[in-house]
Amino acid sequence: MSRIGIIGGSGLYKMEGIKMVKQVSVDTPFGKPSDELTIGKLEGKEVVFLPRHSMGHRISPSKINYRANIYAMKKLGVERVISVTACGSLKKEIKPLDFVVVNQFVDRTNQAREMTFFDNSIVAHISFAHPVCEELSSLLFRTGYGLGKKFKFKIHKGGTYINMEGPAFSTLAESNLYRRWGMDVIGMTNMSEAKLAREAEICYSTLAAVTDFDCWHPQHETITIDMVIRNLQRNIENAKRILGSAIKNLSLDRTCSCKDALKYAIITDRKLIPAKIKKDLGIIIGKYVK
Ligand SMILES: [Zn+2]
């Protein structure tokens, strides 16, 4: 069983195209995921959909149970996760309604959110120099590039996503600082997911939809929440097009290195790993720890 996970961000709370839908409630050793997960078929492939902030958008970025969300995906047989996420742009050439297939992250959270499965009696250091799945990301870009010509949107290959804490947006000084650092887009959620997905040996890619310029841009003052929401809706329509087409063309066999991310990462003496941890993390570490 190899399924494709979709995590929907702001504006994407359900995927209408999914057929033979089943809603499942999943328990994990880390608590409950953001919402029930939807299992069904999209373009002939098995997919699992989860709204990151829950239906009705009730969970703030700081309070999302990222571990439960990724663990639930793993438990349901997901091997690849495509994240759709709204973001602000920090560069003038990345405009509202554009997409960015993110390839790097910088962490500016307050580190309070749980971003690892390995913080209790077992230690693992995954390689995270290249935090997204190259194979999946390049498929998303190629697909978006083709569709962008037809539906009049632009997609950027690669870009650095600075993960701020939120929920308030940046100050002007922060926004200008991130620009000087060379950051491309800003959001509040995706880095935590990328780390956990890598630990769980799940391929992860971010399709970032630009809703607006962050506050550094002179145009920012004249933007109303209405305009942002209208942009978000157009973004989501295009994101669904990209998702459908990418999933249709996705081969089920993985040739990337994500599937072996833990192979040399677990450093703890196997004899000292408690039975409860082996059981709780079994679906993630079972290949390496008996
Ligand atoms: Zn991969």
Side-chain angles (χ1 to χ4, degrees):
M1 181 176 58
S2 164
R3 288 172 165 159
I4 301 155
I6 302 166
I7 300 183
S10 302
L12 184 56
Y13 308 105
K14 59 175 194 274
M15 285 285 297
E16 292 83 359
I18 301 180
K19 297 194 182 88
M20 293 191 295
V21 168
K22 184 167 80 175
Q23 299 282 121
V24 293
S25 168
V26 177
D27 277 313
T28 86
F30 304 98
K32 280 274 183 197
S34 292
D35 211 323
E36 289 189 334
L37 293 96
T38 303
I39 304 176
K41 284 209 161 184
L42 187 64
E43 298 293 346
K45 307 262 173 56
E46 289 231 5
V47 297
V48 177
F49 177 79
L50 177 67
R52 175 181 291 122
H53 299 279
S54 81
M55 275 299 268
H57 207 122
R58 286 168 292 130
I59 309 172
S60 91
S62 312
K63 293 286 165 63
I64 291 169
N65 191 339
Y66 296 97
R67 293 199 292 190
N69 287 354
I70 297 297
Y71 191 98
M73 287 277 174
K74 183 80 181 178
K75 200 170 167 184
L76 294 177
V78 167
E79 289 190 337
R80 293 187 180 91
V81 166
I82 302 172
S83 155
V84 178
T85 195
C87 68
S89 166
L90 294 164
K91 288 205 170 138
K92 64 175 186 304
E93 61 271 28
I94 302 173
K95 297 190 168 69
L97 297 175
D98 287 2
F99 286 92
V100 180
V101 181
V102 166
N103 69 340
Q104 283 295 330
F105 292 102
V106 168
D107 189 5
R108 279 278 299 164
T109 69
N110 64 15
Q111 301 272 325
R113 52 182 85 175
E114 308 284 2
M115 288 196 233
T116 179
F117 293 112
F118 299 100
D119 61 347
N120 180 17
S121 311
I122 179 168
V123 179
H125 302 288
I126 47 149
S127 155
F128 204 52
H130 303 287
V132 298
C133 174
E134 266 174 51
E135 210 175 83
L136 189 55
S137 296
S138 95
L139 174 69
L140 283 178
F141 174 75
R142 286 197 312 273
T143 308
Y145 187 77
L147 288 167
K149 285 185 193 159
K150 188 170 168 197
F151 294 99
K152 308 264 180 287
F153 62 83
K154 192 168 178 192
I155 186 162
H156 304 263
K157 187 180 191 178
T160 302
Y161 172 120
I162 186 156
N163 198 137
M164 66 176 301
E165 180 63 38
F169 294 116
S170 320
T171 65
L172 185 56
E174 286 168 332
S175 195
N176 282 325
L177 176 67
Y178 303 152
R179 275 168 55 71
R180 283 199 294 277
W181 285 354
M183 306 290 102
D184 295 292
V185 293
I186 185 160
M188 301 179 188
T189 54
N190 273 226
M191 185 167 189
S192 327
E193 285 171 5
K195 272 192 185 161
L196 289 157
R198 180 64 55 82
E199 286 188 348
E201 300 189 329
I202 294 172
C203 298
Y204 185 89
S205 280
T206 293
L207 181 64
V210 181
T211 52
D212 60 336
F213 287 113
D214 202 44
C215 66
W216 63 274
H217 196 280
Q219 196 190 313
H220 185 82
E221 296 296 318
T222 60
I223 284 188
T224 62
I225 194 81
D226 247 31
M227 289 156 83
V228 172
I229 296 203
R230 263 205 310 277
N231 283 351
L232 187 60
Q233 282 162 349
R234 280 182 60 190
N235 277 333
I236 295 302
E237 276 169 41
N238 287 329
K240 285 177 181 168
R241 290 183 175 114
I242 298 173
L243 278 173
S245 181
I247 286 171
K248 189 175 177 181
N249 293 319
L250 187 59
S251 121
L252 285 178
D253 294 321
R254 295 196 287 174
T255 57
C256 52
S257 57
C258 312
K259 65 181 188 306
D260 306 307
L262 276 183
K263 197 169 183 182
Y264 304 110
I266 302 167
I267 197 161
T268 309
D269 184 340
R270 304 295 192 266
K271 295 193 292 291
L272 300 177
I273 300 171
K276 171 143 183 19
I277 299 291
K278 286 185 187 168
K279 181 171 172 280
D280 285 352
L281 293 182
I283 59 171
I284 293 169
I285 62 172
K287 260 171 33 186
Y288 309 108
V289 178
K290 294 290 167 225

